[in-house]
Protein backbone atom coordinates (compact mmCIF):
# COMPACT_ATOMS: atom_id res chain seq x y z
CA UNK A 1 0.00 0.00 0.00
CA UNK A 2 1.47 3.34 -0.94
CA UNK A 3 0.86 6.75 0.53
CA UNK A 4 1.21 10.06 -1.18
CA UNK A 5 3.76 12.03 0.84
CA UNK A 6 3.74 15.12 -1.30
CA UNK A 7 1.57 17.97 -0.21
CA UNK A 8 -1.03 19.27 -2.55
CA UNK A 9 -3.53 22.05 -2.48
CA UNK A 10 -6.48 19.73 -2.89
CA UNK A 11 -6.35 17.34 0.11
CA UNK A 12 -9.94 16.26 -0.46
CA UNK A 13 -9.35 14.92 -3.98
CA UNK A 14 -10.47 11.31 -4.49
CA UNK A 15 -7.81 8.63 -4.28
CA UNK A 16 -7.25 7.16 -7.74
CA UNK A 17 -5.89 3.80 -6.52
CA UNK A 18 -7.98 0.68 -5.99
CA UNK A 19 -7.74 -1.04 -2.64
CA UNK A 20 -7.32 -4.75 -3.48
CA UNK A 21 -7.14 -6.03 0.09
CA UNK A 22 -10.89 -6.81 0.35
CA UNK A 23 -10.76 -8.52 -3.06
CA UNK A 24 -7.88 -10.75 -1.97
CA UNK A 25 -9.68 -11.58 1.29
CA UNK A 26 -12.85 -12.63 -0.53
CA UNK A 27 -10.92 -14.69 -3.08
CA UNK A 28 -9.01 -16.55 -0.35
CA UNK A 29 -12.26 -17.37 1.46
CA UNK A 30 -13.80 -18.66 -1.79
CA UNK A 31 -10.69 -20.74 -2.49
CA UNK A 32 -10.91 -22.36 0.94
CA UNK A 33 -14.63 -23.05 0.50
CA UNK A 34 -14.05 -24.73 -2.87
CA UNK A 35 -11.13 -26.76 -1.52
CA UNK A 36 -13.29 -28.07 1.32
CA UNK A 37 -16.42 -28.80 -0.73
CA UNK A 38 -14.81 -30.28 -3.88
CA UNK A 39 -14.04 -33.72 -2.36
CA UNK A 40 -17.63 -33.95 -1.10
CA UNK A 41 -19.06 -33.47 -4.59
CA UNK A 42 -17.45 -36.64 -5.95
CA UNK A 43 -18.94 -38.96 -3.34
CA UNK A 44 -21.46 -41.42 -4.74
CA UNK A 45 -24.04 -43.73 -3.26
CA UNK A 46 -23.05 -45.66 -0.15
CA UNK A 47 -23.04 -49.42 -0.63
CA UNK A 48 -21.50 -52.15 1.49
CA UNK A 49 -19.09 -53.82 -0.92
CA UNK A 50 -18.20 -57.46 -0.35
CA UNK A 51 -14.67 -58.35 0.74
CA UNK A 52 -12.21 -60.16 -1.54
CA UNK A 53 -8.59 -61.03 -0.81
CA UNK A 54 -7.60 -60.65 -4.49
CA UNK A 55 -9.22 -57.21 -4.94
CA UNK A 56 -6.94 -54.66 -6.57
CA UNK A 57 -7.20 -50.86 -6.67
CA UNK A 58 -9.39 -49.48 -9.46
CA UNK A 59 -7.68 -48.08 -12.56
CA UNK A 60 -7.26 -44.31 -12.01
CA UNK A 61 -8.78 -43.32 -15.37
CA UNK A 62 -12.31 -41.94 -15.46
CA UNK A 63 -14.46 -45.10 -15.30
CA UNK A 64 -18.19 -45.57 -15.79
CA UNK A 65 -19.55 -46.67 -12.40
CA UNK A 66 -22.84 -48.56 -12.21
CA UNK A 67 -24.12 -49.13 -8.67
CA UNK A 68 -26.73 -51.66 -7.57
CA UNK A 69 -28.01 -50.63 -4.15
CA UNK A 70 -29.30 -52.98 -1.46
CA UNK A 71 -32.92 -52.16 -2.35
CA UNK A 72 -32.32 -53.10 -6.01
CA UNK A 73 -32.20 -49.55 -7.37
CA UNK A 74 -29.59 -48.87 -10.03
CA UNK A 75 -27.61 -45.66 -10.28
CA UNK A 76 -25.11 -44.52 -12.88
CA UNK A 77 -22.58 -42.17 -11.37
CA UNK A 78 -24.78 -40.29 -8.91
CA UNK A 79 -28.02 -40.43 -10.91
CA UNK A 80 -30.64 -43.08 -10.31
CA UNK A 81 -31.82 -44.79 -13.51
CA UNK A 82 -34.45 -47.37 -14.37
CA UNK A 83 -33.39 -50.82 -15.59
CA UNK A 84 -34.87 -50.42 -19.12
CA UNK A 85 -32.85 -47.21 -19.69
CA UNK A 86 -29.64 -48.65 -18.21
CA UNK A 87 -27.89 -49.67 -21.45
CA UNK A 88 -28.70 -46.41 -23.25
CA UNK A 89 -27.51 -44.37 -20.28
CA UNK A 90 -24.23 -46.32 -20.05
CA UNK A 91 -23.63 -45.89 -23.79
CA UNK A 92 -24.35 -42.15 -23.55
CA UNK A 93 -21.90 -41.79 -20.66
CA UNK A 94 -19.19 -43.82 -22.40
CA UNK A 95 -19.35 -41.79 -25.62
CA UNK A 96 -17.04 -42.93 -28.41
CA UNK A 97 -14.17 -44.02 -26.19
CA UNK A 98 -14.46 -47.63 -25.02
CA UNK A 99 -14.13 -47.59 -21.25
CA UNK A 100 -14.49 -50.20 -18.56
CA UNK A 101 -17.82 -50.26 -16.74
CA UNK A 102 -17.30 -50.83 -13.01
CA UNK A 103 -20.29 -52.57 -11.41
CA UNK A 104 -20.64 -52.01 -7.67
CA UNK A 105 -23.17 -54.34 -6.07
CA UNK A 106 -24.18 -54.10 -2.43
CA UNK A 107 -23.45 -57.30 -0.52
CA UNK A 108 -27.17 -57.63 0.29
CA UNK A 109 -28.19 -57.68 -3.41
CA UNK A 110 -29.03 -61.18 -4.68
CA UNK A 111 -26.31 -62.62 -6.91
CA UNK A 112 -28.85 -63.19 -9.67
CA UNK A 113 -29.62 -59.46 -9.82
CA UNK A 114 -25.94 -58.57 -10.35
CA UNK A 115 -25.53 -61.29 -12.98
CA UNK A 116 -28.69 -60.04 -14.71
CA UNK A 117 -27.25 -56.52 -14.97
CA UNK A 118 -23.92 -57.88 -16.27
CA UNK A 119 -25.72 -60.11 -18.78
CA UNK A 120 -27.88 -57.27 -20.07
CA UNK A 121 -24.83 -55.05 -20.59
CA UNK A 122 -22.90 -57.86 -22.33
CA UNK A 123 -25.83 -58.72 -24.63
CA UNK A 124 -25.83 -55.10 -25.80
CA UNK A 125 -22.13 -55.06 -26.70
CA UNK A 126 -20.71 -53.60 -23.48
CA UNK A 127 -18.20 -56.31 -22.66
CA UNK A 128 -15.48 -54.49 -20.71
CA UNK A 129 -16.98 -55.05 -17.28
CA UNK A 130 -15.49 -55.36 -13.83
CA UNK A 131 -16.94 -56.08 -10.40
CA UNK A 132 -15.80 -53.83 -7.56
CA UNK A 133 -15.06 -55.24 -4.09
CA UNK A 134 -13.22 -53.99 -1.01
CA UNK A 135 -9.92 -55.62 -0.14
CA UNK A 136 -10.28 -58.03 2.77
CA UNK A 137 -8.25 -57.17 5.81
CA UNK A 138 -5.65 -59.87 6.65
Amino acid sequence: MSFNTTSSDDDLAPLAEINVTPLVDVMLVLLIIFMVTAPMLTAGMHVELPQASTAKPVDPQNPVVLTIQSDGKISLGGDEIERPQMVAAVRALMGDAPRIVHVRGDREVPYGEVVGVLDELALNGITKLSLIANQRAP
Side-chain angles (χ1 to χ4, degrees):
M1 186 172 186
S2 64
F3 293 100
N4 190 1
T5 58
T6 61
S7 62
S8 66
D9 295 333
D10 192 10
D11 287 336
L12 300 177
L15 184 63
E17 297 176 4
I18 298 174
N19 187 1
V20 296
T21 304
L23 174 69
V24 171
D25 290 343
V26 169
M27 294 305 289
L28 286 174
V29 168
L30 287 175
L31 177 68
I32 291 170
I33 290 172
F34 285 125
M35 287 173 55
V36 169
T37 59
M40 293 180 213
L41 296 176
T42 59
M45 304 293 166
H46 177 71
V47 291
E48 290 292 326
L49 293 174
Q51 305 289 320
S53 56
T54 59
K56 296 180 182 174
V58 178
D59 193 12
Q61 67 180 345
N62 191 9
V64 176
V65 179
L66 188 73
T67 304
I68 306 169
Q69 299 173 16
S70 60
D71 56 0
K73 294 181 181 175
I74 299 173
S75 60
L76 185 62
D79 302 327
E80 189 173 313
I81 58 173
E82 296 295 325
R83 180 93 179 247
Q85 290 84 24
M86 177 182 63
V87 174
V90 169
R91 283 193 187 280
L93 193 60
M94 287 176 66
D96 293 334
R99 296 191 292 181
I100 297 175
V101 177
H102 297 287
V103 179
R104 299 173 64 219
D106 195 283
R107 98 175 63 182
E108 302 299 322
V109 175
Y111 183 67
E113 182 73 21
V114 176
V115 170
V117 167
L118 293 172
D119 188 44
E120 190 172 339
L121 291 170
L123 284 174
N124 287 287
I126 302 170
T127 56
K128 292 189 175 187
L129 303 167
S130 67
L131 291 173
I132 303 297
N134 284 337
Q135 190 170 17
R136 182 173 290 165

